[in-house]
Amino acid sequence: MPATTDTTQPGGTPAPPAGATAPGPGNNLTGFTITHDLIRRVIPELGRRLAGAAKAGALDTATAERLTAWWRMFTTILDGHHTSEDSHVWPVVLEAEPGLAEVARALEEQHASLDDHLAGIDEGLRGLAAGTGEREVVLTGLLTRVAEFDALMHDHLRLEERTMVPVLREKVTAEAYRAMLASLAVGHDPMDFVPTMPLLLEQAAPAAREFMLGGMPPALRARYDAEFEPAYRALVASLPAG
């Protein structure tokens, strides 16, 4: 495997360590799968944390800022995932299954719509942190936006998983899949996304966690274990219950 793939890719797509094989037939989509699991978990979790903090009277500026920092880790992962899909993953899928071109266009259009919802959520979080507007009105609008985003994202993920994902796993050749991973690595600094990995792997199974981390260079893995994961645990411990 080319040296450029010797670390985790943007958007939760790993370059497997030497000798890694898929757990079953087809390409190993561990990173893809746990990213989808993360999306389904974190969006409603933000709503629960916001609502719980407000009910307890604990949604102050500092709490809003910590929630914003946590949420931005998630949006970094999500943005990398969607960008990778549009620029690298779907073209490889379409090489194997050209009949999915219309689906790929629909998914790309959905990404743009989802970005608008993300911007609205970010605006609401910034409003809470800055204390702009009437807090109850800002919170109500934000919770509504989170719920809408959650529903749209569930539909989006189902479409991907019903159409594109089976082709990516079963029809894209191993050679094309490795080339896709290598192309994803080009021009990306691991420090753009490695600090978000503790969130991505927070509820991953041990085998999936090791698969995702196993390709990291030793120095980066040491820094991950000593710095990024403890910092993430401290941030989560400071958040309202979700």
Side-chain angles (χ1 to χ4, degrees), residues 2 18 27 29 35 56 63 73 91 107 114 131-132 138 145 148 151-152 161 168 178 182 186 194 202 210 238:
N27 297 310
L29 304 189
T35 301
T63 299
M73 292 180 72
L107 290 169
L114 292 165
T132 57
V138 173
R145 177 75 83 166
E148 291 172 348
L152 289 171
E161 291 164 355
L168 183 63
R178 287 194 297 269
V186 175
V194 169
E202 187 174 18
E210 189 52 38
S238 74

Side-chain angles (χ1 to χ4, degrees), residues 162-187:
R162 188 175 71 249
T163 58
M164 310 296 273
V165 172
V167 176
L168 183 63
R169 178 184 291 113
E170 298 161 13
K171 291 191 176 182
V172 171
T173 67
E175 181 182 7
Y177 190 72
R178 287 194 297 269
M180 181 194 76
L181 294 181
S183 68
L184 277 167
V186 175

